[in-house]
Amino acid sequence: KAGVTQTPRYLIKTRGQQVTLSCSPISGHRSVSWYQQTPGQGLQFLFEYFSETQRNKGNFPGRFSGRQFSNSRSEMNVSTLELGDSALYLCASSMGQGSYNEQFFGPGTRLTVL
Amino acid sequence: AQSVTQLDSQVPVFEEAPVELRCNYSSSVSVYLFWYVQYPNQGLQLLLKYLSGSTLVKGINGFEAEFNKSQTSFHLRKPSVHISDTAEYFCAVNPYGGATNKLIFGTGTLLAVQP
């Protein structure tokens, strides 16, 4: 079974631009979560989707948004990029929703904002 | 609210030596506990998890962890490390019975195995 895939793997943008990152979960998985990883803040939860609905949201400004499609694929969007948005963005998928579910992580998208 | 503390940001160890990576958590409710490993330029891989039952949990690559409720700890151990174990290790929690997959991570411990 193929793992979680994220595209693109690397991205360079300038301040003020917007960016869209994509995540394809493992086949059969219906839940997708997004995390931001930075050296200063570590791993922080962005949001979680299940059956096309956002179920939970982390403490990030409204510039960060996401969505999930009927095939469980998910995208996250960051508008008006700031230098501090430079990070590794990780997507994780799991079969269902619930704290006992094992989450499988993708390789991440490394975003650099200049 | 929950929080996770990994006191050691970096642990240097010689190959074939034992290692323990420490994790303490704070929570007003019961939690599930996880250890993840991240190799350079890769995502996170689950090493092991504690959901219930035996407090000694065995995972992949020879790692094990022991849940200690009274000390709110979940330390990760390996009796003999290899060069290939060099990576960053993250401890994480999720509230028990929650309808969310949200993980709260510690700041990570870099395990540096030297020959």
Side-chain angles (χ1 to χ4, degrees), chain A residues 9-10 31 33 35 37 43 45 48 56 88 90 94 96-108 110, chain B residues 32 34 36 38 41-46 49 51 88 90 94-103 105-107:
Chain A
R9 290 291 312 276
Y10 302 90
S31 177
S33 299
Y35 294 84
Q37 185 177 22
L43 280 153
F45 172 80
E48 173 187 358
N56 204 350
L88 181 67
L90 293 165
S94 63
Q97 199 179 20
S99 47
Y100 55 86
N101 278 287
E102 179 174 349
Q103 294 189 64
F104 296 82
F105 283 80
R110 184 163 297 281
Chain B
Y32 294 134
F34 306 82
Y36 284 86
Q38 186 176 34
N41 298 316
Q42 293 187 29
L44 301 175
Q45 180 183 10
L46 181 66
K49 59 186 176 184
L51 302 183
E88 187 130 30
F90 293 92
N94 188 321
Y96 171 82
T100 173
N101 292 332
K102 175 184 176 180
L103 290 168
F105 286 92
T107 50

Side-chain angles (χ1 to χ4, degrees), chain A residues 37-80:
Chain A
Q37 185 177 22
T38 60
Q41 299 298 317
L43 280 153
Q44 293 187 289
F45 172 80
L46 277 159
F47 24 65
E48 173 187 358
Y49 288 88
F50 182 77
S51 293
E52 302 178 64
T53 301
Q54 188 179 91
R55 303 290 178 154
N56 204 350
K57 190 177 192 305
N59 189 24
F60 279 83
R63 300 185 296 107
F64 291 81
S65 63
R67 59 178 175 168
Q68 186 181 34
F69 301 96
S70 58
N71 61 358
S72 295
R73 190 177 69 85
S74 177
E75 289 181 347
M76 67 162 281
N77 184 276
V78 188
S79 62
T80 319

